[in-house]
Amino acid sequence: MKKLIYVAIGLITLLAIVAGFHSRPNSQEQMVDLLQKVNHKFRDYRNDFSPETQLAHIDSVMGQSGQIEVEIYAKAATLLKLGEEEKAIVLLEELINQLKSVNPKATRVAMGDLALAYLRLGEQTNCVTNHSAESCILPIRGGGIHANKTGSQKAISVYEALLKQDPEDMESRWLLNLAYMTLGQYPKGVPSAWLIPNMVDTTNRIDAFQDVAKGLNLDVSNMAGGVIVEDFDHDGYLDIAMSGWGLDEPMHYFKNNANGTFSDKSEASGLQQLTGGLNMMQTDYNNDGFADIFVLRGAWQGEFGEQPNSLLKNNGDGTFTDVTTVSGLLSFHPTQTATWADFNNDGWLDVFIGNETANSFRVVGKPHPCELFLNNQDGTFTEIANQANCNIVGFVKGVTSGDYDNDGWKDLFLSTMDGNRYLLKNKGVRNKVPYFEDVTLNAGLRDESGNSFTTWFWDYDNDGWLDLFVCDYSFLKSLAFYEAAEALKQPIGKAGTIYLYRNNHDGTFVNMSAAANVQKTTFSMGGNFGDINNDGFLDMYLGSGNPNYKSLVPNKLFLNQQGKAFADVTTSGRVGNLQKGHGVSFADLDNDGDQDIYIEMGGAYVGDSYPNSLYLNPGQSANNWICLNLHGTKTNRLAIGSQVKLTFKEKGIQRTVYRDVNSGGSFGSSPLRREIGIGAATMIDEVEVRWHGSKTVQVFRNVKPNQFLSITEGSDKLERVALKTLNFSKDVAPICRTPVALVSASSARKP
């Protein structure tokens, strides 16, 4: 009898355990639950990025402080964050009437916000509600001219009043000129005393890109966020995943249908359940050959940014599953930047995460050291930053990895908002973990002061050694001030300029910014690089992001001039969007042989959401190209970190082009397949692949250009991939061509 009782108890216990196991949330459900909890914490009136709760708090204490003017001003500013321009205008006009006879200084501040509110109203009723391919593209013309002129007209009236008081007000001067431009009256309509005659640089010309996002239903309206362009389902055609940083904003996933259209698979893929993420990138954490997604959260938000990142497993069937908790990657630190690489050369991808520790200009908080997670080769990771000597504590905004000294080990560079930069040399494996040494000073990278943001390793001059890009992000005034001052050729120092460091081949770098003509104001947050004219030299597109609504400055495109200098081609390229630019991807989405540009738009507040853009490349040249998709066997399956070297003759002169396999810049992810221009060459003499970590080197000779090829590590075959050229321009306005001059040529050669 006792035996039967024990058996019964055992069965009941087993059933209880099984029932308990099945009642536990899976990894995806755990992340959804976590995000809901951190969203609740995020909704705090002390959080600068939670205007909904700030507004409720202001209303709850209105009239209690004895400073009603301050309360009205705070409420108007909060309404602007929420996109309630008309309500803000009523409050600001009331406030100005109360202040104008007693406090001229405060009146002027309120007038500046009133002018901005009118300008924002014009943007909302025209550029957002009636969005077109030409909306907010500097110079504003064509479909970008406002049909509803009320907002800009009233803004002009206030800005002119401000400039009469202070003609040296650069910020108001820039915004006044923009307002006139939205009405189609610039430059003739602008009073000469306040005219900025050189708002755009027309020196260098290329053929104009066309924003085709709306016709493809890819014009998702988010706040700031990240983007990945990648072939997630292995059908050969590039898909798009994107995120918005708001914890209420779901992720999006668009499948390329291989017929000139995309299908919104956000819900079916499982990504719609997951919210938030200022940045994200692809990886292959489990080495199965399918690109997974890593989402980064919490940037800029201090104590309210202690949010989990997400590792999303690609299931290979069009769906993704959050595996953060089961993989050991769960942590709670504010961040938006990471880099995946095989740091210990074992054939599996590891991840370094650059976290944000508050510095002197923010509220002091607890330290958030950087993390390095080593891949255990079983779907899990172990955090080893302390043992690896890379647990940097700083306000990290950008990280990039690359083998800058060509010793076979992937190094790290960190860009921060606390004035520091870090070059960490990988010294190889010690005690079973990679070990890093800070060589910043000896490398010559601490010769410049100032905060910095966007960064990446790249070989901009094709000499086989990785160079370094860093964008300054130091400012004391609004970005509109700096843009106006630069246009008027007034001194602004080094605020927002580009640092271009050339590799000296001896472990040191030299700043080539002046010689390369990139000492220009950009204030880049998002940014990436590619080759828009297939000349074999890497170009770059920089997204100018900033929470301030007055930061109406253009995103910028720079064309590489034979590895020696860069030309600003923003104006003729028609890509100078005035809205906030964040994640950027260069990718040949339509398979016509030239790279297009997808950019995630939108700002830090719900009232600053804006449609994303897909800039279709019309073809800048008759240059040839090759597209290589690498598949590792001993190295990681996606071949991340491997190097491609092309050798060919162009007009009788031998050339080499080098490309590392990576997703590009530190904010936005391009596809891992290598889309490489070879200029006018009609044959590639050699394609050399150096597979990272495995030390395998393969060489293929006499390769014809203008085709898509697949290369597998260890195989001597070049497999041709048959992909259709897609037509993305059916439902959009015809591409506006710009006269060809200086750096442009005719249409692209098709595959």
Side-chain angles (χ1 to χ4, degrees):
M1 186 67 180
K2 285 184 178 181
K3 186 175 181 180
L4 289 174
I5 292 172
Y6 289 148
V7 170
I9 292 172
L11 287 172
I12 292 170
T13 303
L14 178 62
L15 289 171
I17 292 172
V18 171
F21 176 82
H22 285 296
S23 68
R24 295 174 190 164
N26 61 32
S27 185
Q28 177 105 350
E29 291 169 344
Q30 287 174 347
M31 181 55 65
V32 171
D33 183 57
L34 277 173
L35 292 174
Q36 290 174 348
K37 289 177 179 177
V38 297
N39 193 13
H40 179 74
K41 179 182 178 182
F42 173 89
R43 293 182 174 280
D44 188 306
Y45 73 90
R46 295 168 298 173
N47 184 356
D48 290 341
F49 300 107
S50 182
E52 300 93 338
T53 51
Q54 285 181 330
L55 181 62
H57 176 72
I58 292 169
D59 283 339
S60 70
V61 299
M62 185 70 78
Q64 297 179 20
S65 69
Q67 295 179 304
I68 188 64
E69 294 87 357
V70 174
E71 293 172 345
I72 292 174
Y73 181 80
K75 183 171 183 177
T78 305
L79 287 167
L80 278 178
K81 292 179 182 178
L82 290 168
E84 301 282 354
E85 292 85 8
E86 292 177 322
K87 293 179 181 179
I89 287 168
V90 171
L91 289 178
L92 288 167
E93 289 181 334
E94 173 189 335
L95 181 62
I96 290 167
N97 286 332
Q98 293 177 8
L99 292 173
K100 61 184 179 182
S101 60
V102 294
N103 193 332
K105 186 176 181 180
T107 301
R108 181 174 178 81
V109 172
M111 288 176 65
D113 278 15
L114 177 62
L116 179 66
Y118 277 127
L119 200 60
R120 293 287 304 171
L121 180 62
E123 291 175 24
Q124 291 292 327
T125 55
N126 293 277
C127 306
V128 177
T129 304
N130 296 302
H131 183 68
S132 77
E134 293 186 284
S135 294
C136 286
I137 301 294
L138 188 71
I140 299 170
R141 63 190 188 204
I145 302 297
H146 289 189
N148 185 331
K149 302 182 183 302
T150 302
S152 288
Q153 287 173 337
K154 289 184 176 292
I156 285 171
S157 177
V158 181
Y159 281 128
E160 289 186 344
L162 287 168
L163 285 166
K164 286 178 181 177
Q165 297 174 17
D166 180 10
E168 301 303 315
D169 181 352
M170 289 292 127
E171 176 182 279
S172 294
R173 191 168 172 180
W174 176 264
L175 297 172
L176 172 72
N177 279 256
L178 283 182
Y180 270 108
M181 199 179 285
T182 65
L183 302 179
Q185 298 175 7
Y186 173 92
K188 294 182 179 179
V190 185
S192 58
W194 304 321
L195 175 67
I196 301 178
N198 300 307
M199 291 186 74
V200 296
D201 184 349
T202 59
T203 307
N204 304 290
R205 294 185 177 275
I206 59 172
D207 286 352
F209 286 70
Q210 177 77 10
D211 186 355
V212 299
K214 185 174 183 179
L216 296 169
N217 295 319
L218 296 174
D219 58 332
V220 175
S221 188
N222 280 339
M223 290 190 281
V227 61
I228 305 171
V229 177
E230 187 57 80
D231 177 14
F232 287 105
D233 54 7
H234 285 193
D235 66 353
Y237 295 87
L238 296 174
D239 314 301
I240 305 176
M242 63 194 78
S243 63
W245 91 317
L247 287 169
D248 290 329
E249 292 187 294
M251 293 180 63
H252 297 271
Y253 177 64
F254 291 89
K255 173 179 169 52
N256 190 329
N257 296 323
N259 62 2
T261 68
F262 288 81
S263 292
D264 187 344
K265 298 291 185 180
S266 304
E267 183 176 5
S269 68
L271 294 186
Q272 188 170 284
Q273 284 185 288
L274 302 165
T275 58
L278 184 54
N279 191 16
M280 59 181 185
M281 61 212 61
Q282 70 271 56
T283 183
D284 184 11
Y285 84 100
N286 58 354
N287 223 13
D288 66 353
F290 284 93
D292 311 305
I293 296 175
F294 191 54
V295 185
L296 297 147
R297 300 188 180 94
W300 296 110
Q301 298 167 51
E303 64 176 301
F304 302 105
E306 295 180 6
Q307 303 171 13
N309 301 320
S310 279
L311 177 61
L312 310 180
K313 178 181 181 291
N314 185 340
N315 298 316
D317 59 0
T319 67
F320 296 81
T321 301
D322 192 302
V323 294
T324 312
T325 55
V326 296
S327 69
L329 285 179
L330 182 65
S331 62
F332 295 86
H333 302 286
T335 183
Q336 68 169 72
T337 186
T339 180
W340 287 79
D342 180 4
F343 291 109
N344 60 351
N345 290 356
D346 65 351
W348 292 71
L349 293 169
D350 316 301
V351 60
F352 178 88
I353 304 172
N355 293 319
E356 297 179 359
T357 296
N359 59 21
S360 58
F361 74 91
R362 300 185 65 83
V363 177
V364 176
K366 68 181 182 182
H368 294 281
C370 295
E371 300 165 288
L372 175 59
F373 287 93
L374 202 65
N375 198 319
N376 297 325
Q377 304 184 16
D378 60 0
T380 69
F381 294 80
T382 300
E383 207 287 307
I384 60 159
N386 185 48
Q387 302 97 298
N389 196 37
C390 60
N391 56 336
I392 300 295
V393 176
F395 202 86
V396 182
K397 295 309 298 179
V399 298
T400 182
S401 57
D403 184 8
Y404 80 92
D405 53 358
N406 283 337
D407 67 351
W409 299 91
K410 296 298 180 183
D411 312 300
L412 287 164
F413 181 81
L414 285 66
S415 174
T416 80
M417 284 291 287
D418 51 35
N420 295 313
R421 299 167 192 175
Y422 301 90
L423 178 63
L424 305 181
K425 175 178 168 54
N426 189 339
K427 303 285 285 186
V429 174
R430 296 183 182 180
N431 299 320
K432 299 182 180 181
V433 301
Y435 185 83
F436 292 86
E437 178 185 352
D438 187 342
V439 297
T440 317
L441 184 61
N442 291 338
L445 296 175
R446 282 221 175 107
D447 59 342
E448 308 286 354
S449 61
N451 301 329
S452 55
F453 204 130
T454 312
T455 187
W456 57 66
F457 282 116
W458 62 342
D459 187 359
Y460 81 92
D461 55 0
N462 278 327
D463 66 353
W465 294 75
L466 289 177
D467 311 299
L468 186 60
F469 170 95
V470 190
C471 190
D472 181 87
Y473 205 75
S474 305
F475 54 91
L476 297 174
K477 300 182 180 181
S478 77
L479 305 195
F481 167 87
Y482 292 106
E483 200 74 23
E486 182 176 73
L488 292 167
K489 302 188 184 307
Q490 296 189 6
I492 57 174
K494 296 181 179 180
T497 59
I498 295 169
Y499 294 105
L500 181 65
Y501 294 103
R502 189 184 68 196
N503 194 321
N504 291 327
H505 309 180
D506 60 2
T508 68
F509 293 81
V510 58
N511 187 357
M512 299 296 292
S513 301
N517 193 35
V518 290
Q519 286 187 318
K520 297 177 180 292
T521 301
T522 56
F523 292 103
S524 171
M525 278 192 173
N528 217 320
F529 55 87
D531 181 5
I532 64 168
N533 61 352
N534 283 332
D535 66 351
F537 291 95
L538 291 169
D539 316 306
M540 57 184 170
Y541 184 54
L542 305 177
S544 57
N546 185 283
N548 192 332
Y549 281 179
K550 296 174 182 178
S551 297
L552 282 170
V553 299
N555 303 314
K556 295 184 178 180
L557 177 64
F558 294 91
L559 193 71
N560 193 327
Q561 307 286 280
Q562 304 296 305
K564 297 176 181 178
F566 287 82
D568 187 339
V569 293
T570 307
T571 301
S572 59
R574 297 296 289 154
V575 292
N577 200 316
L578 290 164
Q579 299 297 326
K580 313 298 170 55
H582 290 91
V584 175
S585 298
F586 280 76
D588 182 10
L589 274 157
D590 54 357
N591 293 332
D592 67 350
D594 50 52
Q595 290 189 312
D596 313 299
I597 301 173
Y598 191 90
I599 181 168
E600 168 84 34
M601 305 300 296
Y605 305 109
V606 64
D608 208 10
S609 299
Y610 196 79
N612 297 339
S613 292
L614 170 55
Y615 293 116
L616 192 68
N617 191 337
Q620 304 297 334
S621 69
N623 288 334
N624 294 314
W625 53 273
I626 196 75
C627 182
L628 304 175
N629 202 352
L630 305 188
H631 306 279
T633 53
K634 295 179 181 179
T635 189
N636 64 87
R637 293 283 297 277
L638 294 187
I640 291 174
S642 297
Q643 186 190 71
V644 175
K645 175 185 176 183
L646 302 186
T647 304
F648 52 87
K649 288 185 178 65
E650 183 182 26
K651 299 178 181 178
I653 300 174
Q654 183 167 306
R655 288 186 55 194
T656 52
V657 170
Y658 297 85
R659 293 288 185 272
D660 277 13
V661 178
N662 56 45
S663 59
S666 59
F667 200 163
S669 298
S670 301
L672 296 174
R673 73 183 195 184
R674 297 297 81 189
E675 300 166 350
I676 309 173
I678 60 169
T682 57
M683 180 66 69
I684 303 171
D685 299 328
E686 285 189 355
V687 174
E688 178 184 288
V689 181
R690 291 184 174 269
W691 301 90
H692 174 61
S694 71
K695 298 183 179 180
T696 303
V697 179
Q698 291 180 262
V699 178
F700 304 88
R701 293 181 173 84
N702 299 323
V703 179
K704 294 181 180 179
N706 303 331
Q707 57 179 329
F708 298 88
L709 297 174
S710 178
I711 301 176
T712 300
E713 183 180 11
S715 172
D716 59 1
K717 293 182 179 180
L718 287 177
E719 297 181 27
R720 190 175 187 277
V721 182
L723 297 178
K724 296 180 293 184
T725 302
L726 308 177
N727 181 7
F728 286 167
S729 57
K730 291 179 180 178
D731 300 317
V732 299
I735 293 175
C736 175
R737 301 281 183 176
T738 308
V740 178
L742 293 178
V743 294
S744 68
S746 58
S747 60
R749 182 170 299 185
K750 308 301 177 187

